[in-house]
Amino acid sequence: MKGREALPNTDGGRREDRHVPVMLQRCLDLLAPALEEPGAVVVDCTLGLGGHSEALLRRFPEARLVALDRDTEALRLSGERLAPYGERAHLVHAVYDELPDVLARLGIPRVQGVLFDLGVSSMQLDEAGRGFAYAQDAPLDMRMDQTTGISAAEVLNTYPPGELVRILRAYGEEKQAKRIVAAVVREREKEPFTNSARLVDLIRDALPQAAKRTGGNPAKRTFQALRIEVNGELSVLERAIPAAVETLAVGGRIAVLSYHSLEDRLVKQVLAAGAASTAPPGLPVVPERYQPRLKLLTRGAELPSEEEVAENRRAAPARLRGAERIRESIE
């Protein structure tokens, strides 16, 4: 879940009622050595409301930005925010696993920096009509790109029980998945699900008392699982991180902010594999093609400071990993 950001006002100003993006300064510092040369290109794969992108353009005045988002409303709002930077900012309606195609269309063979700020954005959470938040009643949509795909309501109303159990367990790490799904199937036969409040009440009623005493809102894991399924987040991420690494020039850097263990595990695996030797054991000299392509820039996953979490509760689950490309791939 991303940090809170300033929303543009209709009068061209900005309501400073939102915090800066999560771990902003650390992200900028991680990417800085690759972005300080004139002509550097940095990609913000998860534009959102443009907080990270604006900071990148301001911190690195010689850099050009390519920013992607699947959410058309986010692109509209961030376009207003980044308009003062003119042609230095190129915004694209795309999902982040489409990065290689986007760069090919723009004629950019390699980039110097890539940033991912994964998960649902503050705008999506705070707009009641999107259905991401379990704290307020709204249509069960949850699509990041509302121009395509199936909604969370369709998933709940049409998926077989076994598939719903798998989703809740795999994507929400929900131990009570069978109990919740049994209640969902029973209720959807009476009337299809349309709104979030009914689902929240159902989950609360379905769980045993012991399960409701820990871990915050009992609907949190189910809503996470539905959102990941609706947007194909993990399958997209599985393709996107290796693709992003391949777009980096030697000396280029990648920084990835994730917000739950499933995302962080995928990022860790890709970066760790790139930083490991692939040589067969026992070679006296390791040929270059077997040597690591990446150098890790973080020891494990870095966490937000206590001060940042105190200021912005949505930063609490954030995990940051970074790496530098140290050689080209050799087939």
Side-chain angles (χ1 to χ4, degrees), residues 6-327:
L7 270 173
N9 265 335
T10 53
D11 62 2
R14 190 164 291 129
R15 296 201 315 262
E16 297 298 343
D17 59 351
R18 299 190 168 206
H19 298 290
V20 296
V22 171
M23 299 182 76
L24 176 61
Q25 192 57 49
R26 183 62 182 131
C27 288
L28 294 175
D29 291 345
L30 266 180
L31 295 171
L35 299 181
E36 286 167 343
E37 293 297 316
V41 177
V42 60
V43 181
D44 185 346
C45 286
T46 47
L47 174 61
L49 289 173
H52 279 114
S53 282
E54 184 176 44
L56 287 163
L57 288 164
R58 191 168 55 237
R59 168 85 178 263
F60 308 107
E62 299 294 323
R64 289 186 297 142
L65 170 82
V66 177
L68 281 56
D69 208 295
R70 65 170 81 183
D71 189 323
T72 53
E73 181 65 4
L75 285 163
R76 185 185 69 79
L77 290 169
S78 56
E80 294 174 11
R81 182 177 193 161
L82 301 178
Y85 296 94
E87 294 183 357
R88 287 182 59 210
H90 192 96
L91 279 51
V92 184
H93 182 219
V95 186
Y96 41 71
D97 65 338
E98 299 174 291
L99 175 60
D101 293 336
V102 169
L103 294 178
R105 289 200 303 270
L106 295 175
I108 301 172
R110 285 283 190 269
V111 302
Q112 283 64 49
V114 178
L115 174 67
F116 286 86
D117 183 15
L118 300 170
V120 62
S121 75
S122 294
M123 180 196 73
Q124 291 161 342
L125 279 173
D126 293 340
E127 280 192 9
R130 304 297 291 270
F132 286 98
Y134 40 78
Q136 51 191 341
D137 191 25
L140 275 167
D141 192 319
M142 298 195 194
R143 290 173 299 162
M144 292 179 180
D145 181 351
Q146 292 188 300
T147 66
T148 187
I150 65 168
S151 68
E154 290 175 83
V155 171
L156 278 177
N157 293 325
T158 65
Y159 276 30
E163 185 66 2
L164 285 175
V165 170
R166 183 193 69 79
I167 289 165
L168 264 60
R169 283 179 175 164
Y171 300 158
E173 299 175 291
E174 175 55 77
K175 295 176 182 176
Q176 304 292 332
K178 274 193 171 180
R179 192 184 291 255
I180 292 170
V181 169
V184 165
V185 171
R186 192 166 57 246
E187 286 300 311
R188 76 186 187 185
E189 289 174 357
K190 300 175 188 175
E191 184 182 350
F193 283 89
T194 58
N195 277 48
S196 57
R198 182 180 171 212
L199 178 60
V200 171
D201 290 342
L202 176 146
I203 293 167
R204 194 172 279 119
D205 292 343
L207 296 183
Q209 285 301 319
K212 288 188 273 192
R213 292 193 194 106
T214 58
N217 192 306
K220 178 173 66 176
R221 291 177 294 276
T222 296
F223 271 62
Q224 174 180 296
L226 288 171
R227 191 199 82 220
I228 290 172
E229 171 65 16
V230 165
N231 296 290
E233 289 177 43
L234 292 180
S235 57
V236 168
L237 188 61
E238 272 187 306
R239 296 188 294 271
I241 300 297
V245 167
E246 284 304 311
T247 69
L248 288 174
V250 173
R253 291 184 166 209
I254 182 172
V256 186
L257 276 165
S258 55
Y259 294 85
H260 58 75
S261 59
L262 302 170
E263 290 174 339
D264 184 54
R265 196 176 306 139
L266 277 174
V267 175
K268 176 185 177 181
Q269 288 169 350
V270 173
L271 298 187
S277 168
T278 58
L283 288 182
V285 177
V286 178
E288 186 179 356
R289 69 179 180 275
Y290 295 133
Q291 291 174 9
R293 294 177 298 124
L294 297 178
K295 178 179 73 174
L296 300 182
L297 300 174
T298 50
R299 295 187 58 163
E302 293 187 6
L303 310 181
S305 66
E306 291 181 8
E307 293 79 10
E308 181 170 4
V309 173
E311 181 187 338
N312 176 14
R313 60 184 175 79
R314 291 180 180 172
R319 302 291 182 269
L320 175 63
R321 296 181 186 270
E324 179 181 346
R325 182 78 177 259
I326 56 174
R327 73 167 179 86

